Amino acid sequence: MSQEHSFASPAPSGLGALAMACFCFFALLSGKVTHSAAPVLACWMIGGGIVQIVAGVIELKDRNIVGGNVFTFFAAFFMFVTALSLLTKYGLANAGLPMDTTIEGWGWLAGAAFLIMMTPNYLKATKLMFLLVILVDIALICIVMLDLKLDVNRAAVAQTAAWLLLVCGCIAIYLAGAISINTNFEKAILPIPGPFIK
C-alpha cells in the first residue's frame, strides 16, 4: 500500500467522515434518535460522501489500491446510497406507500463481503486500522441480518452494531488526529501501533 502522495494524505479527512457516519449510525441503531432524523442524517451522509470520494480519488491516483477502493466504496454506499435510501424510505413512509426494504440487506450483504475480502490487506496497515476494519465487518454483518429480516434478536443485533460503530468512530478520530499531528510535527506525538505484517 503506497504511502506517498502528490497531495497531503487524505486519510485524516476520510477517517473523520467515517467517524461522523459511525457516530450517526450509533445514534440511530441504539435508539438515541428516532427514524424521523432520517432527512437530516441524509444531509450528513452526503457531506461525508463528498469527503470520502475526494480521499478515494487521491488514494487511487497515488496507487493505493486498498485505501482508494475502500474510500470510494464507502463514499458510494456508506454515504451516498445511504442518504438516498434514508430520504426514499422517509418519503414513502410519510406518504403511506408500500416498500420492501429487504433489498437493502442484499446490497449490504455484497458490501460486507467486499469489505471482508479487503480486510486482509489491512494487516499491512496499523494495528488500529486493522481493528477498525474488523469491527466494521462485524457491524455490517449485523446490519445485513437486520435488513434481511432474519430471525434474530433484533434489539440485541442493533445494539451490537451500534456499539461496534461507536468504537470504530472513536478509533477513526484517534487515527485522523494522530496521522495529522504526527505528520505536522514530523515526529510521533500520538502513538500509532505498527502493522501486523511489514
Side-chain angles (χ1 to χ4, degrees):
M1 296 186 301
S2 171
Q3 297 301 317
E4 297 299 317
H5 295 280
S6 52
F7 301 113
S9 172
S13 64
L15 288 165
L18 174 64
M20 175 277 303
C22 288
F23 277 49
C24 288
F25 292 143
F26 164 78
L28 191 63
L29 289 166
S30 68
K32 304 283 184 214
V33 299
T34 67
H35 287 279
S36 65
V40 176
L41 177 55
C43 296
W44 283 85
M45 293 297 106
I46 292 168
I50 292 167
V51 170
Q52 287 202 323
I53 197 73
V54 169
V57 168
I58 291 171
E59 292 286 2
L60 288 170
K61 179 187 175 298
D62 291 332
R63 303 188 191 297
N64 182 346
I65 190 168
V66 177
N69 280 287
V70 171
F71 272 137
T72 54
F73 173 85
F74 271 58
F77 299 105
F78 237 59
M79 305 292 184
F80 294 134
V81 169
T82 296
L84 292 170
S85 174
L86 288 167
L87 292 172
T88 300
K89 289 187 290 189
Y90 184 81
L92 290 173
N94 283 341
L97 297 172
M99 63 181 145
D100 182 359
T101 59
T102 309
I103 191 66
E104 287 194 307
W106 292 101
W108 282 117
L109 181 59
F114 167 80
L115 190 58
I116 289 167
M117 290 302 293
M118 298 300 286
T119 299
N121 292 300
Y122 285 94
L123 287 166
K124 291 181 71 176
T126 72
K127 290 176 180 146
L128 281 177
M129 183 63 80
F130 181 73
L131 175 62
L132 184 150
V133 173
I134 291 288
L135 296 177
V136 171
D137 289 346
I138 298 167
L140 283 180
I141 292 166
C142 291
I143 291 169
V144 167
M145 288 190 286
L146 294 171
D147 285 353
L148 285 178
K149 298 176 177 56
L150 299 181
D151 187 20
V152 295
N153 181 333
R154 294 185 63 75
V157 172
Q159 287 296 317
T160 300
W163 287 97
L164 288 172
L165 290 170
L166 183 64
V167 171
C168 289
C170 292
I171 293 171
I173 288 170
Y174 178 82
L175 284 172
I179 292 166
S180 61
I181 290 168
N182 293 351
T183 301
N184 187 50
F185 289 97
E186 299 179 349
K187 62 181 175 179
I189 294 173
L190 294 176
I192 301 175
F196 285 104
I197 298 173
K198 294 192 180 196

